[in-house]
Amino acid sequence: MKPFLYITQKNCPVLWMAITASPTTLVFDKEERSLNMKCFNHRDADAVGVCQSCHRGLCVDCYAEVGNLLACRNRCEEDVARWDFIAQKSVTAYSANYKIYLWTSVFLVVVALPFVVVGSFAMLNEPSSGIVALFIGFVFLLFSLVLFRTARKMR
Ligand SMILES: [Zn+2]
Ligand SMILES: [Zn+2]
């Protein structure tokens, strides 16, 4: 059975965490529109989905869509909306984090450059202070590289 949302731990770890931490599992199958389950309210009707808040099976008449999630109509919509809100928020926070990592990495290169340039020239006349400047420059570059790689993994 294919899940309703194609979110995996790999392609979207934060959202994945938010969803799995919520008291829900996405089991609504869009293609087959059926589950081996009956509606909680109408025992003879097939469930087409499961409420994301209380896990009751829901038939076509009983479900409400809240964002990308399903809820019992007139009962759990508010609860599910809250989860959907958290999920949306974490997507935004996630891309903000990505940008912070990337820009900090760029910033560190800018900070490192004068140390490397000045350090290289100082090596000619005053190697003892030149090596210190070069060392500081390379430490900044190393941090920059680590942040850049972290940012790229988040993509
Ligand atoms: Zn419900
Ligand atoms: Zn029903």
Side-chain angles (χ1 to χ4, degrees), residues 39 41-42 59 62:
C39 175
N41 306 307
H42 311 95
C59 75
C62 295

Side-chain angles (χ1 to χ4, degrees), residues 51 53-54 56 72 75-76:
C51 172
S53 174
C54 66
R56 289 179 172 116
C72 301
R75 186 169 49 202
C76 299

Side-chain angles (χ1 to χ4, degrees), residues 33-104:
R33 295 190 78 82
S34 79
L35 298 163
N36 292 328
M37 198 186 230
K38 297 287 175 194
C39 175
F40 182 82
N41 306 307
H42 311 95
R43 297 300 161 108
D44 50 347
D46 281 334
V48 293
V50 171
C51 172
Q52 306 300 296
S53 174
C54 66
H55 288 232
R56 289 179 172 116
L58 300 168
C59 75
V60 201
D61 294 328
C62 295
Y63 81 83
E65 278 187 59
V66 180
N68 280 327
L69 306 174
L70 289 183
C72 301
R73 188 173 290 171
N74 301 328
R75 186 169 49 202
C76 299
E77 283 167 88
E78 233 172 80
D79 279 348
V80 173
R82 215 168 295 140
W83 281 115
D84 195 47
F85 177 77
I86 292 166
Q88 300 298 334
K89 279 278 166 203
S90 48
V91 171
T92 317
Y94 192 73
S95 70
N97 260 353
Y98 166 79
K99 280 180 195 150
I100 289 168
Y101 275 80
L102 201 65
W103 282 110
T104 310

Side-chain angles (χ1 to χ4, degrees), residues 2 15 17 29 32-33 37 39 62 66 83 89 95 101 111 115 129 138 144 148:
K2 285 180 190 161
L15 186 56
M17 260 169 56
D29 190 339
E32 289 167 21
R33 295 190 78 82
M37 198 186 230
C39 175
C62 295
V66 180
W83 281 115
K89 279 278 166 203
S95 70
Y101 275 80
V111 173
F115 281 101
S129 33
F138 280 116
S144 167
F148 182 73

